[in-house]
Amino acid sequence: MNRIIALTVLCTASLAAGVVVASPSLATAFRSHAPRIHHPKWVWQYSVSGAAPESTNPEAETDPSTAPKHARHHAADAWATTPAPSAATTPAAPTDTAPTTEPTTTEPTTTKPTTSHRPPELPRFTLRTVDARCFTAPTAAGGWPFAPTTAVHPIRGSFDEPRDPVHIGVDVEAPKDQAPVYAMQTGTVRHIAADHFDVYATHGRKGTYLQYWHIKLATGIKDGVVVRRREKLGTVKPTMKHVHISEYVPGCGLVDPARPTGLLADPYNTEWPTIGALSAYAAGSRAFVPLSLSQSPTDLTDPATPVDLNHLSGTVDLRASVSDMPKVRMQHGPQLPLAPAAIRAYLTPAGNTHRHLTMRLVFDGSKLLPSGGGLWRYWAFGTYRQNGCYFTADGTCGMQMVWHVGGPKGFNTRSVPNGSYRYCVEALTIAGVDARHCTAVTIAN
């Protein structure tokens, strides 16, 4: 510090005398005490997610190249909102009474606006911050169920995706019909049933096991037999063309075998999750309805009442599609999107999407989704999965996951003052890749 003061005095005296001083020491001092630069607001008005293909909102954040992930907009400290039309000129959308059944979820935290309090910055969003215990649950050494067992194989179906009603594991595509299946790790065979059996791991946490489905067992594979890693368990049953793997971990229950510490982790899974356009509906009983997950919504009518994003009032059901299209694609059929690993949603000031006014964890994929009535508090109308083309030439395949990103009872717009904001949906893949999509909304109660 003394050296900086001395150099400053020297520069002042030199400049007063009309002399320009070029000192390496002075340059070094300024490098270590760099001036703070304020960037224009528009630099930070985009997300890191990439474009939402179906979004038609010009205010939606879509450009991934203009917002460094850890950037902070220092100039947008003031979060005052733009006044919105009054309730007299913008009628509130009618709502019904919401059902009482709801899943276990993180309640939103709301920061009340004051003249002296800035909204908090966004907390980190990673698999560890969502559920470190189950997303990073260790597993014994092993490999994939098909040869070569050290190579990544295409994933045909993911954990926690729509089935009848929820998929309890991961489907790995077979390299050919009736392909040999190998033990992923050393363990003891237990609970042999008509279409599945368990292998309890010899090493690692006691009580951990893998469950294999759709395998015609080889001779000698019986209950109580110890199988070694890479030992042949049998062959894929005719026409199934995949093996299903579930994993159970004590303290977590069923977990995703494709998590970063799982045997089916894919190092090539570096793509962003896909986040669709935001939409709003009246948050009544018609917004949270049971779905036929095997039926395409193309010929169906959504019973919920749409609401204009520029005139939100009362409690609204906010929705967005979120999925993950893997880089390693199937070889013997069309690749369907996979489920994301986690989703959160939050309201931000209109001019600073790095601070939040409300925050909600929409989906935690570290464990299995509930299979009862609470499931419809996660998945909204438009969610379905069809895989008929995997079994017959004229079969139909398709998949979409639409999420209630406003929460299991909807988003209460009265928790913040009237004005203009952005509502952001952020998602993680099972590899921990992060993306978000923010949309301009106006609250007018």
Side-chain angles (χ1 to χ4, degrees), residues 227-246:
V227 292
R228 303 295 178 186
R229 177 183 172 185
R230 301 190 183 92
E231 183 175 343
K232 184 177 177 180
L233 297 174
T235 57
V236 176
K237 289 185 175 181
T239 74
M240 295 307 295
K241 302 176 184 177
H242 76 282
V243 63
H244 169 103
I245 304 295
S246 292

Side-chain angles (χ1 to χ4, degrees), residues 236-301:
V236 176
K237 289 185 175 181
T239 74
M240 295 307 295
K241 302 176 184 177
H242 76 282
V243 63
H244 169 103
I245 304 295
S246 292
E247 183 176 1
Y248 179 87
V249 174
C252 294
L254 291 173
V255 298
D256 193 337
R259 68 192 184 282
T261 55
L263 295 180
L264 301 183
D266 178 4
Y268 303 104
N269 185 11
T270 59
E271 70 280 352
W272 288 332
T274 302
I275 303 174
L278 186 71
S279 58
Y281 300 83
S285 59
R286 291 178 297 175
F288 302 91
V289 295
L291 307 173
S292 176
L293 296 174
S294 61
Q295 185 176 6
S296 171
T298 305
D299 299 325
L300 302 177
T301 301

Side-chain angles (χ1 to χ4, degrees), residues 188-194 196-200 209 211 223-224:
T188 304
V189 177
R190 298 289 187 193
H191 311 135
I192 297 178
H196 63 271
F197 60 93
D198 305 334
V199 176
Y200 281 75
Y209 65 84
Q211 190 172 81
D223 199 291

Side-chain angles (χ1 to χ4, degrees), residues 8 52 85 92 117-118 160 198 217 220-221 232 282 303 329-330 337 381-382:
T8 304
H117 179 71
R118 291 186 303 171
D160 265 344
D198 305 334
L217 292 179
I221 303 298
K232 184 177 177 180
R329 305 292 177 88
M330 290 177 54
F381 179 87

Side-chain angles (χ1 to χ4, degrees), residues 152-156 173 266-274 323-331 333 335-338 429-431 433:
V152 172
H153 295 264
I155 298 298
R156 178 166 137 170
E173 184 188 38
D266 178 4
Y268 303 104
N269 185 11
T270 59
E271 70 280 352
W272 288 332
T274 302
S323 60
D324 174 22
M325 180 60 77
K327 284 187 175 181
V328 178
R329 305 292 177 88
M330 290 177 54
Q331 299 176 354
Q335 179 69 57
L336 295 179
L338 306 178
T429 68
I430 193 58
V433 180

